[in-house]
Amino acid sequence: MMPSIKELSREPELFSSGHRACTGCGEVLAVRQVLLAAIKPVACVMPTGCLEIVSTIYPHTAWQVPMFHSAFENAAATISGMEAAYRVLKRKGKITEDINFIAFGGDGGTYDIGFQALSGAVERRHRFLYVCLDNEAYMNTGIQRSSATPLGAHTTTSPAGKVKPGKLEWRKDIVEIMIAHDIPYAAQATVWNWNDLANKVRKALSINGPSFINVLVPCPLGWGYHSSQTITLSKLAVETCFWPLYECENHKYRLNYVPKEKLPVTEWLKLQDRFRHLFRPENKSLLDAFQEEVDRRWEQLNKKVKCFD
Amino acid sequence: MIVAKTGNEAMAYAMKQCRPDVVAAYPITPSTEIVQIFSSFVADGLVDTEYVPVESEHSAMSACIGAAASGARAMTATASQGLALMHEMLFIAAGLRLPIVMCVASRSLSSPLNIHCDHSDSVASRDSGWIQIFCESSQEGYDSVIQAVKIAERAYLPVIVAIDGFILSHCMERLEILSDEEVSDFLGEFKPNYSLLDTKNPITVGPACLPDSYFEHKRAEAEGIRQAKGIIEEVIEEYRKRFHRYYPVIDEYQAEDAEVVVLAMGSTVGTAKIAVDELRAQGKKVGALKLRFFRPLFSEKLVASLRKFKVVGILDRAEAMNSYISPLATEIRAALYHQTEKPLIVSYVYGLGGREITQEDIKVVFEELIHIKETQKVKDEVSYIGVR
Ligand SMILES: Cc1ncc(C[n+]2csc(CCOP(=O)(O)OP(=O)(O)O)c2C)c(N)n1
Ligand code: SF4
């Protein structure tokens, strides 16, 4: 289990340099970390989105593992078919090695358009790890709101204007929804805490059934910050308890990291252009609502950890 | 062996004998029985297939695509709204050159909602790059599924095998079936030319192609469907030699000396043949043509056949909504454009949403076609048979 940094440093890079992601892109950091930690061999799927566009412009590819992209809403359905093929071909002796399956989906391809396929695949108990690369908007098509976009965020389809202060709804809690599917393993992670993410990937892949990891992947372009700040923003999301690092394994919740001092969420918000308008006096109530919701969820999660222990 | 089976049973049985590795499907009338029967074969251990009971047709086709790209023989069945929901994925299956076979029990499309037969579903998938076979009988449906697997795997293209919803899917027919060994022998093992499960030789499938390469891929795909014509004829011939059942790509009935003919796809061809027999008995020089492949369109063969006649009535079980003529008639007129000697083409839409078509209806069409031959005047670009 628990891979050390020394061990990971010896692993081959399976997502090679030369891809076309923006500098500081959290998505490709997450993919590299997941593939370093993965129990090999793996075969992967991704839906349409930034990751696909930056890594597979024909005739180039950044993938050193089998990678399949077919459409936007079907990563989980596609991997269901691959995993079914694997099971039958193994039974027939046409494949001998043990292969792990990983789907990488953006929040749009996971929370929204791909949600039905994901729900179906998890209910059918296919053996695969679904990694949601959550940058909280549809970045590939130019930063539109998704159901992962937080309250108040400015996006190109929930713009902060004269009468509307950005997105009016709180984000969908996808990890809880996956847990409600009775999934054997679901977790939340970030690219800041590589150790935690690596552990979670190892755990997820050792499970006989579906597993889900939601990784917060800051996007300099969509969030509006300097590309050197990706790790800082990942860390602040955790330290403010906006993005708790936790897991739920066979109905047992566990917090993987408890901040020494819970920072106000404004520490995370204030570094991002998409929340800039929230700091105007007229939007104070929205800022307060944001903090309240973070507190409420943090408290609830702590209760779950205690009562399901 | 001779058995009695409905069209759906025949298709499911043929699927079983083709021994697919993966079947992913979602139920929809009138094709539901195909997936029900197939899943009972799986439950009884009669076939070693991974059956994936997906949550939608979009996922059914996605899973078939994932399975086929992983080197598995993949099949599914659907109709109507299900085929429409797959629409996006149909293009991806064909563009990735994946030999998936799909049984379709043809049904109309909403709105209004209607579960009965017409060809709107498959016809709407015309430009998706799938080979499309329309069957006259359940026997042909059965034989076509087996042929389709071989055609798909040789041409590296996906294939739809369509039987008419309810008319064939739910009617019992006398059926001659092959033995499991005969089918296995005919098909052989599926040997994919790449697999995503070959982790030692990792490949990326389904990349993004910019304007500098997309066009070449599409052109290559178009060549693929052109070349599929030769492969189709080889497979039909092999099937004839082995099993003595022959379904030409264009079947001419009493057409040798005919002056006016009707052309149709699917079960209506059988009805037309009876109408022809009755009119022949009255000494009328009429015939019928069956078009078995809507895609690829065997245009050279069509032209060679159609040139002989004076007037051709195209019976179309779909509307093109092009404000002009029916879908098949549009294509056939286009195929004939360069010919100096060509028949008059008359377009008929019939049977939408399961409206009956009888030999009497077709006899009325023949009377009109004979009148058109005599006057050389086509009054209506398109007529609707039996509509109130
Ligand atoms: C059916 C369909 N609808 C819309 C699109 C356009 N589209 C492509 S990627 C994308 C957004 C991707 O967002 P997300 O999944 O969050 O990934 P990101 O780009 O942020 O990594 C959209 C809307 C599509 N490809 N297919
Ligand atoms: S837009 Fe955002 S998600 Fe997309 S490549 Fe750039 S940084 Fe990554």
Side-chain angles (χ1 to χ4, degrees):
Chain A
M1 221 61 187
M2 309 297 178
S4 68
I5 191 133
K6 219 168 169 185
E7 187 192 334
L8 292 182
S9 72
R10 275 188 242 110
E11 290 285 324
E13 280 284 1
L14 298 177
F15 188 84
S16 58
S17 57
H19 57 75
R20 303 164 191 224
C22 311
T23 321
C25 173
E27 287 199 349
V28 296
L29 279 179
V31 169
R32 283 178 58 203
Q33 292 184 11
V34 169
L35 289 179
L36 282 178
I39 307 161
K40 269 123 270 6
V42 292
C44 303
V45 168
M46 65 180 159
T48 316
C50 265
L51 185 62
E52 173 247 343
I53 294 297
V54 304
S55 66
T56 69
I57 300 281
Y58 183 86
H60 305 289
T61 180
W63 298 90
Q64 312 296 316
V65 290
M67 170 46 89
F68 190 28
H69 160 261
S70 87
F72 185 24
E73 59 287 77
N74 66 354
T78 307
I79 215 157
S80 300
M82 283 172 67
E83 195 255 359
Y86 165 71
R87 258 188 280 166
V88 58
L89 296 178
K90 196 142 194 229
R91 200 160 62 225
K92 292 182 178 176
K94 293 185 181 174
I95 291 175
T96 48
E97 62 182 358
D98 294 325
I99 302 174
N100 283 307
F101 292 90
I102 306 178
F104 292 101
D107 48 287
T110 305
Y111 288 61
D112 294 342
I113 198 167
F115 180 69
Q116 174 184 311
L118 173 61
S119 176
V122 171
E123 185 267 334
R124 292 190 303 273
R125 289 296 188 262
H126 293 277
R127 188 172 194 275
F128 70 109
L129 163 61
Y130 194 104
V131 178
C132 177
L133 304 169
D134 190 344
N135 54 24
E136 309 194 310
Y138 305 153
M139 299 310 175
N140 182 52
T141 35
I143 324 166
Q144 293 85 27
R145 63 95 80 188
S146 78
S147 60
T149 305
L151 180 77
H154 165 95
T155 72
T156 52
T157 49
S158 64
K162 290 201 177 80
V163 296
K164 282 193 179 172
K167 197 191 175 205
L168 296 172
E169 307 82 18
W170 188 256
R171 48 180 293 128
K172 199 192 255 182
D173 193 343
I174 195 79
V175 180
E176 275 303 315
I177 296 168
M178 284 300 114
I179 294 169
H181 281 69
D182 215 3
I183 195 168
Y185 187 80
Q188 200 158 269
T190 66
V191 287
W192 156 59
N193 198 333
W194 60 266
N195 191 21
D196 175 65
L197 176 56
N199 288 341
K200 286 172 176 167
V201 170
R202 285 277 166 103
K203 244 188 215 179
L205 289 178
S206 65
I207 271 159
N208 187 17
S211 52
F212 183 86
I213 305 179
N214 200 23
V215 189
L216 185 70
V217 289
C219 163
L221 191 76
W223 294 12
Y225 67 85
H226 189 269
S227 55
S228 62
Q229 300 288 90
T230 296
I231 298 300
T232 307
L233 278 157
S234 315
K235 183 166 190 227
L236 281 172
V238 179
E239 300 288 358
T240 57
C241 297
F242 169 75
W243 196 268
L245 301 184
Y246 75 102
E247 62 192 352
C248 182
E249 193 177 350
N250 296 320
H251 315 291
K252 264 191 163 176
Y253 284 78
R254 191 177 302 122
L255 269 175
N256 308 104
Y257 178 86
V258 183
K260 283 206 183 63
E261 180 201 355
K262 180 168 173 278
L263 298 178
V265 76
T266 45
E267 292 301 301
W268 181 65
L269 299 175
K270 72 182 183 195
L271 298 181
Q272 308 174 48
D273 284 351
R274 60 177 174 156
F275 296 117
R276 199 169 40 192
H277 58 285
L278 294 188
F279 292 89
R280 290 204 293 259
E282 68 270 25
N283 287 330
K284 178 156 188 319
S285 61
L286 213 56
L287 209 51
D288 292 344
F290 201 114
Q291 183 66 59
E292 271 166 38
E293 189 58 20
V294 168
D295 294 345
R296 189 186 69 76
R297 282 172 189 250
W298 174 244
E299 213 174 289
Q300 202 165 52
L301 179 61
N302 278 281
K303 281 184 190 153
K304 281 181 201 157
V305 170
K306 279 203 195 80
C307 80
F308 291 114
D309 202 17
Chain B
M1 193 167 58
I2 293 167
V3 295
K5 283 193 190 302
T6 66
N8 279 341
E9 288 168 355
M11 300 280 253
Y13 198 79
M15 277 173 75
K16 181 191 107 165
Q17 293 188 308
C18 294
R19 298 190 298 128
D21 296 306
V22 174
V23 168
Y26 194 79
I28 181 167
T29 307
S31 66
T32 309
E33 269 178 355
I34 301 176
V35 304
Q36 282 175 359
I37 297 167
F38 194 84
S39 51
S40 75
F41 291 149
V42 176
D44 290 336
L46 298 174
V47 60
D48 188 10
T49 300
E50 277 296 316
Y51 181 74
V52 190
V54 281
E55 81 302 327
S56 74
E57 288 87 351
H58 193 285
S59 286
M61 188 44 62
S62 299
C64 283
I65 287 169
S70 302
R73 182 176 281 168
M75 299 177 89
T76 187
T78 195
S80 183
Q81 308 303 117
L83 191 56
L85 188 58
M86 286 179 186
H87 193 65
E88 179 195 27
M89 300 317 299
L90 297 182
F91 288 77
I92 291 174
L96 293 174
R97 307 292 300 269
L98 297 173
I100 298 162
V101 170
M102 168 156 58
C103 300
V104 170
S106 301
R107 168 182 153 182
S108 60
L109 285 173
S110 276
S111 185
L113 179 70
N114 174 290
I115 59 168
H116 295 278
C117 176
D118 68 37
H119 295 163
S120 309
D121 47 8
S122 304
V123 168
S125 314
R126 188 190 65 179
D127 302 336
S128 62
W130 282 60
I131 291 171
Q132 294 194 17
I133 311 179
F134 282 81
C135 306
E136 181 184 339
S137 63
S138 296
Q139 179 72 59
E140 187 179 345
Y142 168 83
D143 292 318
S144 296
V145 170
I146 298 163
Q147 293 182 357
V149 171
K150 190 147 196 164
I151 292 167
E153 290 174 8
R154 278 208 191 152
Y156 273 99
L157 282 172
V159 183
I160 284 172
V161 181
I163 54 169
D164 283 352
F166 291 107
I167 299 166
L168 295 180
S169 69
H170 286 63
C171 285
M172 187 120 354
E173 262 186 45
R174 174 192 180 279
L175 204 70
E176 283 181 37
I177 55 171
L178 305 172
S179 70
D180 291 356
E181 293 69 40
E182 282 174 312
V183 178
S184 290
D185 256 24
F186 178 71
L187 294 181
E189 289 285 308
F190 172 42
K191 294 207 183 64
N193 57 10
Y194 70 81
S195 164
L196 287 164
L197 301 183
D198 180 4
T199 58
K200 305 243 163 29
N201 301 293
I203 48 167
T204 297
V205 182
C209 288
L210 299 179
D212 67 346
S213 67
Y214 178 87
F215 202 169
E216 282 69 28
H217 285 286
K218 282 299 171 191
R219 167 74 198 273
E221 191 187 332
E223 284 306 322
I225 202 152
R226 281 191 191 101
Q227 283 169 18
K229 289 187 192 178
I231 293 168
I232 288 166
E233 298 214 272
E234 276 165 33
V235 171
I236 291 173
E237 190 53 25
E238 271 178 58
Y239 201 84
R240 185 181 68 82
K241 283 212 182 98
R242 274 207 207 204
F243 307 126
H244 314 293
R245 285 208 285 273
Y246 180 52
Y247 306 98
V249 295
I250 296 160
D251 192 5
E252 298 192 351
Y253 184 76
Q254 300 277 26
E256 205 39 53
D257 62 339
E259 293 178 331
V260 306
V261 296
V262 293
L263 179 147
M265 300 194 295
S267 63
T268 306
V269 176
T271 317
K273 284 176 179 170
I274 295 169
V276 167
D277 288 345
E278 288 176 13
L279 292 176
R280 280 272 167 182
Q282 298 167 21
K284 305 229 162 89
K285 286 190 173 173
V286 298
L289 296 182
K290 170 170 113 184
L291 186 64
R292 188 167 172 234
F293 284 82
F294 182 53
R295 280 291 178 272
L297 192 72
F298 282 82
S299 51
E300 304 87 352
K301 289 210 150 137
L302 264 172
V303 168
S305 171
L306 294 174
R307 269 169 40 183
K308 307 193 285 270
F309 312 115
K310 300 274 186 291
V311 187
V312 180
I314 313 283
L315 306 187
D316 237 319
R317 203 160 198 152
E319 236 301 343
M321 299 296 173
N322 63 3
S323 78
Y324 172 48
I325 52 175
S326 60
L328 199 49
T330 313
E331 302 230 333
I332 288 173
R333 268 207 195 175
L336 285 164
Y337 180 77
H338 287 295
Q339 304 302 315
T340 38
E341 291 278 301
K342 58 192 162 213
L344 289 170
I345 296 290
V346 194
S347 166
Y348 291 92
V349 175
Y350 75 95
L352 299 191
R355 178 66 51 87
E356 287 264 7
I357 179 142
T358 63
Q359 63 252 44
E360 293 310 315
D361 294 326
I362 296 176
K363 281 189 338 208
V364 172
V365 169
F366 272 122
E367 296 303 333
E368 270 182 41
L369 298 178
I370 290 165
H371 181 71
I372 289 168
K373 187 201 81 184
E374 280 156 8
T375 59
Q376 287 296 300
K377 275 203 183 74
V378 180
K379 196 159 84 272
D380 298 311
E381 283 277 35
V382 57
S383 308
Y384 292 82
I385 304 173
V387 76
R388 288 191 289 272

